[in-house]
């Protein structure tokens, strides 16, 4: 990889959930790193506080509600335009699942340094409902505890869209911590 990968990988993306090392969707980034379409840049934390919550099937969502929640930890990757397209596809940016927006980050253990990147936030059409559903209790990181209940897209019921699953999840009466949905 080296310098060539660094040159073509210009877009910085912040991952905070299943794309992180050790989690189920990291294989996508591993594949992209093998082809020179992604470069791991380090462990970072959001400069501002944001809510990080789990939705249906323990899917993690970063909510664009700055000042609420915690400073969220995750990983920073530089990706090529091809790599960005692959990650956008996984995140459902054209299907209304997530929106990729600018975010300021700090390297782990360095409070004053900031880095500009983009992160995948929940679509605004349901972010407030997810925040209410979580009883306005966010996470500082998506860990093995949350990932234990994660269900991959291919293993979810296929008769409904993911947006349908989100609508059902936010309208159900059980709290997010006790819901198996």
């Amino acid at each position: 990889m080296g310098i060539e990968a660094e040159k073509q990988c210009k877009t910085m993306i912040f991952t905070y959930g299943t794309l992180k090392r050790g989690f189920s969707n990291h294989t996508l980034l591993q594949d992209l790193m093998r082809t020179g379409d992604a470069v791991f840049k380090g462990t970072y934390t959001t400069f501002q506080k944001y809510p990080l919550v789990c939705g249906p099937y323990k899917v993690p969502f970063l909510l664009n509600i700055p000042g609420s929640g915690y400073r969220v930890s995750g990983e920073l990757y530089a990706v090529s335009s091809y790599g960005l397209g692959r990650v956008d596809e996984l995140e459902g940016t054209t299907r209304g699942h997530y929106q990729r927006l600018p975010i300021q980050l700090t390297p782990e253990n360095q409070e004053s340094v900031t880095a500009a990147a983009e992160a995948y936030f929940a679509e605004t059409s349901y972010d407030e409902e997810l925040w209410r559903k979580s009883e306005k209790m966010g996470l500082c990181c998506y860990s093995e505890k949350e990932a234990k209940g994660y269900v991959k897209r291919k293993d979810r019921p296929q008769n409904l869209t993911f947006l349908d699953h989100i609508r059902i999840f936010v309208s159900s009466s059980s709290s997010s911590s006790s819901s198996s949905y």
Side-chain angles (χ1 to χ4, degrees):
M1 279 185 284
I3 295 171
E4 284 183 42
E6 293 278 349
K7 286 184 180 176
Q8 74 180 49
C9 296
K10 295 180 180 175
T11 304
M12 305 298 275
I13 58 168
F14 177 66
T15 65
Y16 54 83
T18 63
L19 283 167
K20 293 188 307 182
R21 293 172 295 170
F23 292 88
S24 61
N25 286 323
H26 185 68
T27 54
L28 171 60
L29 286 170
Q30 287 175 315
D31 291 345
L32 293 173
M33 286 188 282
R34 267 193 290 281
T35 61
D37 289 294
V39 177
F40 176 72
K41 300 304 245 179
T43 304
Y44 282 71
T45 304
T46 59
F47 185 71
Q48 288 187 291
K49 293 178 180 179
Y50 288 95
L52 173 61
V53 300
C54 287
Y57 306 111
K58 294 289 188 171
V59 173
F61 290 93
L62 191 61
L63 308 180
N64 193 14
I65 308 172
S68 296
Y70 298 97
R71 293 184 62 215
V72 176
S73 65
E75 298 172 351
L76 184 64
Y77 292 85
V79 296
S80 67
S81 57
Y82 171 77
L84 185 62
R86 294 280 314 276
V87 178
D88 279 355
E89 171 58 30
L90 175 79
E91 301 292 6
T93 58
T94 62
R95 295 185 305 276
H97 302 172
Y98 291 87
Q99 54 186 336
R100 186 168 29 88
L101 298 171
I103 193 166
Q104 291 293 311
L105 307 169
T106 59
E108 191 172 60
N109 302 320
Q110 295 182 25
E111 297 301 312
S112 60
V113 179
T114 60
E118 294 179 323
Y120 292 90
F121 288 90
E123 273 289 340
T124 54
S125 62
Y126 58 81
D127 65 350
E128 288 287 343
E129 290 89 345
L130 281 173
W131 188 222
R132 277 193 296 277
K133 177 71 174 182
S134 73
E135 298 172 351
K136 298 191 177 187
M137 299 290 290
L139 306 164
C140 62
C141 69
Y142 185 76
S143 68
E144 289 180 25
K145 177 184 171 192
E146 289 77 33
K148 190 173 272 188
Y150 178 75
V151 179
K152 285 188 164 195
R153 184 185 302 165
K154 67 179 181 60
D155 298 325
R156 299 175 197 152
Q158 300 297 306
N159 60 325
L160 298 171
T161 68
F162 188 54
L163 292 177
D164 291 332
H165 290 291
I166 292 169
R167 283 188 210 94
I168 293 167
F169 176 80
V170 296
S171 65
S172 66
S173 59
S174 62
S175 73
S176 60
S177 59
S178 64
S179 176
S180 61
Y181 197 93

